[in-house]
Amino acid sequence: MDTLSYKTISANKETVNKEWLLVDAENETLGRLASKVAKLIRGKHKTNFTPHVDCGDNVVVINAEKIRLSGNKMDDKSYISHSGYPGGQKEVSVKSLLAKKPEAVVEKAVKGMLPKNKLGAKLFNNLFVYAGAAHKQEAQKPKAINLNDIK
């Protein structure tokens, strides 16, 4: 038996082929959308996935203002941030954040599903979220994909 034929192939940044993908967030549930987009950004859908390498795709999300939230999350869910100073805690509801900056809701959801290290920060740069149907990545010719096809 030839054991040389069973070598594990590990991807690196030279051997990775990155694609541009276009995701339409219209009528998608926020958490389900974010988990699938995080999987695409991380590269877990590829056969040559390597945990310590940025082997995922660049993802463009459009229609971020048309996402759905299940249950009472539109009224009850809020994001809390703290400046580090006494009394510096701020609380913003999802409804007000969607009205003001809908891209931030999707970005926060996806960022929470990426690794909490330097690789996660680098992977987050592969996400581009837009409130409307227009986006700035036309030159890259992103391939439109259906999220329901992703397991």
Side-chain angles (χ1 to χ4, degrees):
M1 184 155 124
D2 185 18
T3 57
L4 294 177
S5 64
Y6 294 107
K7 293 212 184 261
T8 302
I9 298 169
S10 182
N12 57 30
K13 65 180 178 182
E14 287 82 28
T15 62
V16 169
N17 59 335
K18 295 175 83 63
E19 295 179 341
W20 283 85
L21 303 175
L22 181 68
V23 175
D24 190 2
E26 188 172 359
N27 292 328
E28 293 286 339
T29 307
L30 177 63
R32 293 165 199 255
L33 167 85
S35 65
K36 290 177 182 178
V37 168
K39 188 186 290 188
L40 293 172
I41 291 173
R42 186 86 200 275
K44 287 195 161 193
H45 64 291
K46 295 186 175 184
T47 56
N48 63 346
F49 170 69
T50 308
H52 64 279
V53 177
D54 176 9
C55 55
D57 297 327
N58 297 305
V59 179
V60 179
V61 179
I62 57 172
N63 293 325
E65 80 277 357
K66 297 179 182 175
I67 59 163
R68 292 185 301 119
L69 280 91
S70 60
N72 294 330
K73 291 189 191 99
M74 191 65 83
D75 300 319
D76 298 343
K77 186 174 176 68
S78 62
Y79 296 109
I80 298 172
S81 63
H82 200 285
S83 67
Y85 290 98
Q89 183 171 338
K90 294 180 184 173
E91 188 172 349
V92 180
S93 68
V94 172
K95 190 179 272 189
S96 65
L97 193 59
L98 260 176
K100 209 180 302 179
K101 193 173 180 193
E103 306 93 9
V105 176
V106 176
E107 287 174 354
K108 282 178 178 286
V110 173
K111 188 171 188 170
M113 296 183 185
L114 292 174
K116 279 49 168 191
N117 53 22
K118 291 179 184 176
L119 177 64
K122 188 177 176 189
L123 290 170
F124 185 66
N125 291 329
N126 297 337
L127 175 68
F128 303 89
V129 183
Y130 297 98
H135 58 88
K136 298 177 185 172
Q137 278 72 29
E138 294 289 341
Q140 284 77 21
K141 297 184 180 86
K143 183 176 70 174
I145 61 163
N146 185 5
L147 286 181
N148 296 329
D149 298 339
I150 300 169
K151 298 282 183 233

